[in-house]
Amino acid sequence: MSDFDFIIVGGGSAGCALARRLSDDPGLRVCLIEAGAKARNPAVHLPFGLAVIGLFNNLQWGYETAPQDQLRQRNLVWPRGRVLGGSSAVNAMIYSRGMRADYDGWAALGATGWDYASVLPYFRKAEANQRGGDDIHGADGLLPVSDLPDPNPLSRAFVEAGSQAQIPVTDDFNRGEDCEAIGIYQVTTRDGLRASAARAYLSPEVRARDNLTILTQTSVRQIVFEGRRATGVETGIAGRHAGQGAGDDRTQTLCAAREVLLSAGAINSPHLLMLSGIGPAEHLSSHGIDVVHDAPFVGQRLVDHLDVITQFTSRIGARGGLGFQWNVPARSLRWALQWLSRRGGTFASNVAEAGGFVKSDPSLDRPDIQFHFLPARMANHGRQLVWGYGYTLHACNLYPRSEGEIRLASADPAAPPIMDPRYLSDPDGHDMRVLMAALDWSRRILAAPAFDGYRGRELRPGAAVQTAEQIRDWVARTAETIYHPVGTVAMGAADDPRASLTPDLRVKGVRGLRVVDASVMPRLIGGNTNAPTIMIAEKAAEMILDAVRSGEKGPTP
Ligand SMILES: Cc1cc2nc3c(=O)[nH]c(=O)nc-3n(C[C@H](O)[C@H](O)[C@H](O)COP(=O)(O)OP(=O)(O)OC[C@H]3O[C@@H](n4cnc5c(N)ncnc54)[C@H](O)[C@@H]3O)c2cc1C
């Protein structure tokens, strides 16, 4: 007798959505296992908490990349949520789907059934847009999508500046096309509170379901196989951080009658597969791991959005943005009253309020640069408080050609894997060129008249950085992630050796095991990755439930 029908590993964006949809069927016993705790910290729930969330180590995995050859050997900080809700509990809440051509590109790569027309119904199914539904947007889903109640005047200035720089203005980036535009983002919040996947999909009533077990502060150490069939997972009690020991030696095996569903994210899903014997055979053997299935591309094809940051001081003090200053207590009191009285004001802000999409080269078929504008001076992913007022513009390369990998540092499940995105390693220098164009665009927008009343000193890159050589050097010294690693367990055609999964997300070469999270994306999308990951979970849940309804008893070949 198995403990559960389905075991979901990882309670993040995908895992929470999957747990909800599968447990909608009262005949299925579902278990969701999350390494982190339930999110009790107000910084998670209050959107403006994003400004300080990086200070709380207990909400994150504390990951860093390997030294990056093209980035002056820097180890980049890679924030990832370790809490029920996963990265959706620590992210910037921007609701962004990517573009039609992204999904058509997935299908062209062999991910049959993932073209734009096929995924659109799942974006709509997930979405509860405050503006109501139409043929593109959904109104009746579980993921709240809202307009920011009170965008900061600086964010409005950014949109006006973009318009002055000849970029069209939009109030909807998510129509699949025509997103070469600038505007205020819609956000995944409701009533002034963050809608993490945990809050959106696992309401108290759902959490209380008899057929849903949610284990928090429980780490999966490996997938258990009988031959080539995944039959369950081995868990341990989570330590405070990966790399700081498992915290407890007690382990437990939980059994899944139907399937194990890996939703541990683009770093931990390939890590767990490799720990469990699915990955490049030689690499696994070199760590003393018995090979269940030689899967050369598990952990490979890692891509991420690399980002350059332009920052100015604002010369009109408190009216010129959000900042830490002597008057923070008084302003916070006002913000608290605004939030309590109408769930609006600064506390309802996701900080990264505005943005847009432009092309590095006008001949491109779609934008390849995305902006995130913050009416504040944040530093080091919010892990450091900055004194003073100002504004910051992030600009990232949406379609990198550099590919990296996740590989094992050790066979010990408590040791983090090596994360090596190999940023800017593409041989023809495409990724560097796009980032140089991104800086050029950023400076052009921030020089527009709309900022004349605010503009202080250019802190980053700074007036001294002007020539192509200086800019290249500055990119190498300062570029950072904008948090969208994907592709490490990519789906694709059954006969494509670079695809680790078939298009129904089953792991090739074994039975009873699927991956459902951001790792499955065969290529990065042109936008933020939370909504696409939730779309993947919605579509996966339907495929899995269809298989159950069609009479599939246990794992299929
Ligand atoms: C700081 C930040 C800002 C971002 N901003 C945005 C944004 O504004 N908009 C947007 O669309 N996207 C944004 N993203 C990206 C987006 O949030 C992620 O792409 C998305 O959440 C990934 O979902 P996932 O399900 O693949 O992984 P995650 O949500 O990371 O979930 C994985 C879960 O698995 C758990 N887990 C891992 N290993 C184990 C194990 N061994 N045992 C048990 N549990 C385990 C983790 O603790 C985690 O909860 C941001 C991300 C970050 C980090």
Side-chain angles (χ1 to χ4, degrees), residues 9-15 33-36 50 61 79-88 90-96 218-221 263-266 268 272 482-485 516-519 528-533:
V9 181
S13 302
I33 305 177
E34 166 55 42
L50 183 72
W61 283 85
R80 292 282 98 191
R82 186 186 199 183
V83 57
L84 196 61
S87 298
S88 76
V90 300
N91 74 9
M93 291 158 273
I94 293 163
Y95 181 73
S96 163
T218 306
S219 248
V220 171
R221 296 163 58 88
S263 299
N268 294 38
L272 269 172
I482 197 93
Y483 321 120
H484 301 149
V516 183
D517 60 25
S519 348
N528 313 70
T529 43
N530 186 48
T533 304

Side-chain angles (χ1 to χ4, degrees), residues 181-380:
I182 207 147
I184 306 283
Y185 288 122
Q186 282 203 294
V187 289
T188 45
T189 65
R190 174 176 282 161
D191 297 333
L193 289 171
R194 173 193 289 272
S196 70
R199 179 184 284 272
Y201 280 87
L202 301 177
S203 63
E205 299 75 46
V206 173
R207 291 179 198 210
R209 283 176 177 171
D210 287 340
N211 67 331
L212 176 61
T213 302
I214 302 178
L215 302 175
T216 52
Q217 292 178 282
T218 306
S219 248
V220 171
R221 296 163 58 88
Q222 64 172 30
I223 303 155
V224 177
F225 285 94
E226 270 173 28
R228 284 178 169 262
R229 185 193 146 178
T231 54
V233 297
E234 184 189 292
T235 68
I237 313 297
R240 237 170 34 87
H241 272 297
Q244 295 184 344
D248 195 314
D249 285 339
R250 279 175 299 159
T251 61
Q252 187 185 5
T253 300
L254 299 171
C255 298
R258 287 177 181 272
E259 292 185 47
V260 174
L261 305 169
L262 263 190
S263 299
I267 300 160
N268 294 38
S269 284
H271 185 211
L272 269 172
L273 285 173
M274 288 189 271
L275 289 171
S276 314
I278 299 177
E282 262 182 49
H283 178 53
L284 304 192
S285 301
S286 72
H287 286 281
I289 295 173
D290 293 338
V291 178
V292 175
H293 177 64
D294 179 17
F297 281 89
V298 163
Q300 302 296 304
R301 299 179 63 174
L302 169 64
V303 277
D304 184 28
H305 287 151
L306 191 65
D307 184 68
V308 289
I309 303 169
T310 311
Q311 194 172 68
F312 279 78
T313 58
S314 162
R315 61 186 168 82
I316 58 167
R319 283 178 298 120
L322 309 168
F324 289 98
Q325 272 286 10
W326 55 269
N327 61 356
V328 159
R331 293 181 94 189
S332 301
L333 192 63
R334 183 155 48 85
W335 295 340
L337 290 173
Q338 286 169 339
W339 189 84
L340 287 169
S341 60
R342 56 182 180 84
R343 296 293 172 112
T346 297
F347 279 171
S349 164
N350 69 326
V351 191
E353 296 181 343
F357 299 85
V358 294
K359 294 178 180 173
S360 64
D361 172 345
S363 67
L364 292 173
D365 69 336
R366 65 195 125 143
D368 61 344
I369 293 170
Q370 182 180 7
F371 298 117
H372 294 92
F373 178 81
L374 286 62
R377 281 171 58 190
M378 279 176 69
N380 195 6

Side-chain angles (χ1 to χ4, degrees), residues 77-157:
V77 170
W78 260 18
R80 292 282 98 191
R82 186 186 199 183
V83 57
L84 196 61
S87 298
S88 76
V90 300
N91 74 9
M93 291 158 273
I94 293 163
Y95 181 73
S96 163
R97 294 177 175 182
M99 306 175 204
R100 172 187 291 270
D102 299 334
Y103 300 98
D104 290 345
W106 287 9
L109 283 173
T112 311
W114 294 87
D115 54 288
Y116 183 71
S118 303
V119 301
L120 180 59
Y122 299 96
F123 277 117
R124 292 184 68 236
K125 180 178 183 186
E127 185 182 11
N129 202 307
Q130 174 202 2
R131 298 179 188 170
D134 59 17
D135 54 339
I136 303 281
H137 286 288
D140 307 320
L142 293 167
L143 181 68
V145 177
S146 306
D147 291 311
L148 278 172
D150 299 301
N152 189 276
L154 265 167
S155 302
R156 294 193 189 282

